[in-house]
Amino acid sequence: MTNPVVRKLSDRRLLPVTGTLVALAVILIVGQARYSTDRRDFLSMRLFSNLLVDNSYLIVLAIGMTFVIITGGIDLSVGAVVALVGLVVAKLLIAGAPLPVVLILGVLIGTTFGLLIGVMVQYFDIQPFIASLAAMFLARGLANVVSVQSLAIKDEGFAALASWKIKFGEGREAWSINLSMVIAFVVLLIAIYLLHYTRFGRTVYGLGTGDNGAAVNLMGLKGSSTKVWVYVISGTCAGIAGILFAFYTKSGFNLTGIGMELDAIAAVVIGGALLTGGGGFVLGSVAGVLVYGLIQVLIAREGLDSWWTKVFIGVVLLAFVLLQRAMTFRQGRGSAT
């Protein structure tokens, strides 16, 4: 009799996520075999802590992008929104604005851009690629208006939030949890609940069927408002990610986030979301971010130039796209018979 766990992982809908977990395991095994020493193991809590510290902002971006991609859409504006939020936060703090107001405003900037894209897509019938591309240029242009120079954030309250952490262990085995990790975890829990345990989540998956929401409407679900809300969620996540990236760099810069939207899309696809819509899991997207981060770690350990990261990510992404294509082809043949 087949093991329930094996049967679950072999489910066609979970096959891309299973592939992500296999890729993650292979990278960890290779790293453990190649980079472990007598004094330190490659596979450790310190490794995962550093991965999450370096990629918390990308996890939040990927979570928001997951909602959009499941509906069959795309959001190209998130990297530019991250840059704009970082600069606005820096500029307002330098001007002496209260920290809580600045942080809330930073998130709302992302929410506003998401709402703008959602309205263009749903009510003006503009393709998501074009709508989000226009929003990307708008956000990048506004970032240049705010400042073309890097702005250091020296506010004491902001610095305290950015440096807050809980430390575990001592010496080489020490690892920590910082505020960015906590925020990313909270966003993840909320996303899991929304996507997998609510009527809204069922509507999101229904919108990815490719019938312009006809099936969703027949089920009595509100497809039109949901399509707007997924972009609002993506924009809000971009606003949060902008603040997390500002925590990480303690600065704002107009050239921040160039290509970041592609990193988020790549992580979501590597995590098993179907670019055609209708399939994907936020936990898979988080695993995709970890694969992305681990590839960067291995390349750094090998002493290779950082641009090799793009080469390896491209290879991994191509493999997952081909896997998705093979699945779609098999499903088509199955339905035909």
Side-chain angles (χ1 to χ4, degrees):
M1 187 174 181
T2 308
N3 186 290
V5 176
V6 174
R7 186 167 61 249
K8 185 71 173 176
L9 291 177
S10 61
D11 188 317
R12 186 174 296 176
R13 295 170 300 175
L14 295 178
L15 189 58
V17 180
T18 304
T20 306
L21 296 177
V22 170
L24 187 60
V26 168
I27 294 173
L28 289 172
I29 291 170
V30 169
Q32 177 69 11
R34 186 167 177 81
Y35 305 114
S36 294
T37 64
D38 293 337
R39 295 184 178 182
R40 182 188 299 178
D41 286 332
F42 174 81
L43 187 57
S44 64
M45 288 301 300
R46 184 184 180 89
L47 169 68
F48 288 106
S49 174
N50 290 339
L51 274 176
L52 294 175
V53 167
D54 293 339
N55 295 286
S56 292
Y57 70 92
L58 186 56
I59 288 174
V60 174
L61 276 185
I63 289 170
M65 190 70 71
T66 303
F67 282 82
V68 173
I69 288 180
I70 288 175
T71 65
I74 202 77
D75 187 353
L76 300 177
S77 70
V78 294
V81 170
V82 167
L84 177 60
V85 169
L87 275 172
V88 169
V89 167
K91 196 80 170 181
L92 289 177
L93 289 176
I94 291 172
L99 179 60
V101 174
V102 171
L103 297 180
I104 292 172
L105 182 60
V107 175
L108 290 179
I109 288 172
T111 303
T112 302
F113 272 88
L115 178 61
L116 174 64
I117 297 170
V119 168
M120 286 193 291
V121 169
Q122 177 58 35
Y123 297 106
F124 292 90
D125 201 25
I126 299 175
Q127 289 294 323
F129 181 91
I130 300 300
S132 61
L133 184 65
M136 179 188 77
F137 282 119
L138 176 60
R140 190 64 68 181
L142 289 174
N144 289 323
V145 169
V146 174
S147 177
V148 294
Q149 303 293 329
S150 177
L151 300 178
I153 302 176
K154 299 179 181 180
D155 181 84
E156 293 183 0
F158 188 90
L161 292 177
S163 61
W164 180 90
K165 62 182 177 181
I166 301 175
K167 188 177 179 180
F168 300 89
E170 297 293 339
R172 290 177 176 267
E173 300 303 320
W175 59 281
S176 61
I177 296 174
N178 70 358
L179 183 59
S180 293
M181 294 164 62
V182 174
I183 293 173
F185 182 69
V186 171
V187 172
L188 174 63
L189 291 181
I190 294 172
I192 290 173
Y193 174 74
L194 285 177
L195 197 54
H196 302 300
Y197 297 98
T198 66
R199 184 185 182 91
F200 171 80
R202 293 193 296 273
T203 310
V204 171
Y205 280 102
L207 288 172
T209 57
D211 57 2
N212 292 321
V216 169
N217 294 329
L218 286 174
M219 290 186 292
L221 301 175
K222 297 180 180 180
S224 58
S225 61
T226 299
K227 186 172 289 188
V228 175
W229 275 108
V230 295
Y231 287 98
V232 170
I233 289 171
S234 179
T236 302
C237 285
I240 295 171
I243 292 172
L244 298 188
F245 196 76
F247 282 162
Y248 186 65
T249 61
K250 297 181 179 62
S251 65
F253 187 39
N254 65 321
L255 298 182
T256 291
I258 294 178
M260 195 178 285
E261 63 281 346
L262 301 181
D263 293 338
I265 293 168
V268 173
V269 175
I270 292 171
L274 301 177
L275 282 172
T276 52
F281 305 91
V282 287
L283 281 175
S285 298
V286 173
V289 173
L290 294 180
V291 169
Y292 188 100
L294 281 169
I295 289 175
Q296 291 179 310
V297 170
L298 271 88
I299 287 173
R301 291 290 185 95
E302 289 290 338
L304 298 174
D305 293 326
S306 60
W307 53 262
W308 276 102
T309 301
K310 302 298 183 184
V311 175
F312 284 101
I313 289 296
V315 172
V316 174
L317 183 59
L318 179 60
F320 276 88
V321 170
L322 290 175
L323 174 62
Q324 291 184 10
R325 180 59 181 165
M327 289 175 54
T328 304
F329 180 71
R330 288 182 59 185
Q331 289 174 352
R333 291 187 59 183
S335 60
T337 55

